[in-house]
Amino acid sequence: MKKAVNIICVILGFLCFGIGAVGAVLPILPSTPFLLLAAALFAKGSMRFHKWFMGTVLYRKYIDKAVKNKAMGKKEKRNMLITLGVIFTVGIVFSPSFAKVIIVVVAVFHFYYFIFRIRTLPDEAGEKVLMED
């Protein structure tokens, strides 16, 4: 059973990685939330794929600095919160009643964390902090 869960996590990790890669190119699709989800899924599914993912350019460019600094630019944070809102809304609309409660609880914790625990930097400062080596 654990092996099946790990395989599913790796498959979903690659799916999120692909969407995040597309989001890095298309300005209408934010990449950060999908890459964060890919990192979490790879960490759960396979240490080998997690290490590989942490070495990718996308991870280093979009996630590494934000994780280390616990801060995001205003634009990045806004785009991520909008994406999370859409994802949670779709989940609530298309899930059975018992799952809706779980999704709402998870959504509240996500929004709380990103709004109150991750510092918001002005766009110029956010880019400067996140681009530094």
Side-chain angles (χ1 to χ4, degrees):
M1 181 69 177
K2 184 177 179 176
K3 187 171 182 164
V5 171
N6 290 348
I7 291 170
I8 291 169
C9 285
V10 169
I11 291 169
L12 291 174
F14 276 110
L15 179 67
C16 291
F17 176 72
I19 294 170
V22 170
V25 177
L26 296 176
I28 60 169
L29 182 66
S31 59
T32 307
F34 293 106
L35 295 174
L36 284 169
L37 184 56
L41 289 166
F42 284 138
K44 172 73 175 156
S46 167
M47 191 53 65
R48 179 177 155 225
F49 285 120
H50 182 65
K51 287 180 183 178
W52 166 80
F53 178 68
M54 290 176 58
T56 63
V57 173
L58 288 174
Y59 179 85
R60 289 191 308 257
K61 182 176 180 185
Y62 291 99
I63 297 180
D64 192 38
K65 304 296 185 206
V67 169
K68 288 179 183 174
N69 296 324
K70 297 271 188 197
M72 296 178 76
K74 188 186 299 185
K75 183 179 174 184
E76 288 178 312
K77 194 172 188 178
R78 183 189 69 232
N79 288 343
M80 183 169 44
L81 291 172
I82 290 170
T83 302
L84 285 173
V86 170
I87 290 170
F88 285 127
T89 301
V90 169
I92 290 169
V93 169
F94 292 108
S95 65
S97 298
F98 70 91
K100 290 180 184 188
V101 174
I102 295 169
I103 293 171
V104 168
V105 169
V106 170
V108 167
F109 283 113
H110 274 81
F111 283 106
Y112 169 79
Y113 182 78
F114 284 108
I115 292 171
F116 296 110
R117 295 290 187 193
I118 302 292
R119 288 182 301 135
T120 305
L121 303 171
D123 284 333
E124 308 83 39
E127 290 174 8
K128 183 186 271 186
V129 169
L130 296 176
M131 294 287 184
E132 292 176 355
D133 277 334

